[in-house]
Amino acid sequence: FSKRFPVSAKERQLLARTQALVAPLQSMQLPLVFEHGDLSYPNLLLLPTGEPGVLDWELADPDGLPACDLFLFLTYVAFALHDVQASGAYSTAFQSAFFAQTAWTKAYIRQYTQQLQLPEAALTPLFVLTWLRYIVSQLVRLDDGEYRATTEITECKPETAQWMRQNRYYALWDYAVTHAEQLAW
């Protein structure tokens, strides 16, 4: 991120805090999962058989990190429950889903962690990392016009940086990092 984005002083602090929060993952043995990378609307559909279907696998990773798809999916459910399209209350929906003492996502996350035998200590680092990874993937796609791995890393265009700073996922990353201690698993 810092190589592609014109990082401000505030963003340097966010990145340093992110690094501190995700550092415990380096010493954890985590199960790898087939990660979609963008498990959200409009990449989900109901098939004629009544079963769910998933589209758009461009960000998929067969050796992906656990819980990231779950966090993204539950965030989209929170957006739908709060009708954020009409209200614009993305942070409010995000906060009530994950940070409130009565967060409705707890049961789903607990079931997921039990099934994967994922240590609870991994949840906050994975949660924070989910949002930084998502905005980095957006940044790459926005500036390159397509998502592709490259060894050439260039700073994004100023208009891209401005758009990113106003993007809801940037705000979610900021909120997750700033309020990480309030996550109630």
Side-chain angles (χ1 to χ4, degrees):
F1 181 76
S2 62
K3 290 181 181 177
R4 280 198 176 266
F5 201 80
V7 179
S8 69
K10 178 188 177 196
E11 290 155 352
R12 275 192 286 284
Q13 291 174 342
L14 281 172
L15 286 168
R17 176 83 170 122
T18 298
Q19 192 170 29
L21 287 165
V22 304
L25 293 174
Q26 293 177 342
S27 61
M28 290 184 190
Q29 294 293 329
L30 298 176
L32 299 179
V33 300
F34 199 103
E35 184 181 2
H36 181 273
D38 192 9
L39 196 60
S40 59
Y41 172 85
N43 296 333
L44 302 170
L45 64 129
L46 192 59
L47 298 172
T49 61
E51 297 172 310
V54 181
L55 304 170
D56 191 11
W57 292 89
E58 70 180 288
L59 300 176
D61 184 353
D63 296 316
L65 291 175
C68 296
D69 278 342
L70 177 65
F71 294 142
L72 186 64
F73 174 75
L74 291 173
T75 298
Y76 265 86
V77 172
F79 290 170
L81 290 172
H82 285 260
D83 193 19
V84 296
Q85 293 285 337
S87 70
Y90 293 98
S91 293
T92 301
F94 190 63
Q95 187 276 336
S96 69
F98 296 102
F99 296 86
Q101 286 298 334
T102 57
W104 59 267
T105 59
K106 284 182 189 182
Y108 300 106
I109 295 167
R110 190 174 308 114
Q111 181 181 5
Y112 180 89
T113 57
Q114 289 170 354
Q115 288 177 345
L116 263 71
Q117 298 179 347
L118 186 63
E120 187 176 312
L123 291 176
T124 296
L126 287 168
F127 187 78
V128 168
L129 192 56
T130 295
W131 306 110
L132 180 59
R133 290 172 73 220
Y134 197 76
I135 64 172
V136 168
S137 75
Q138 281 191 320
L139 179 64
V140 171
R141 289 182 287 166
L142 283 171
D143 244 19
D144 291 349
E146 62 182 54
Y147 183 79
R148 58 188 151 100
T150 178
T151 56
E152 179 187 340
I153 298 176
T154 58
E155 192 171 280
C156 71
K157 299 171 190 158
E159 58 271 19
T160 301
Q162 180 181 358
W163 183 86
M164 286 297 293
R165 288 184 176 112
Q166 297 169 359
N167 183 279
R168 65 181 173 230
Y169 298 104
Y170 180 97
L172 297 182
W173 168 55
D174 186 343
Y175 194 96
V177 170
T178 306
H179 297 89
E181 71 283 347
Q182 295 173 8
L183 285 163
W185 306 115

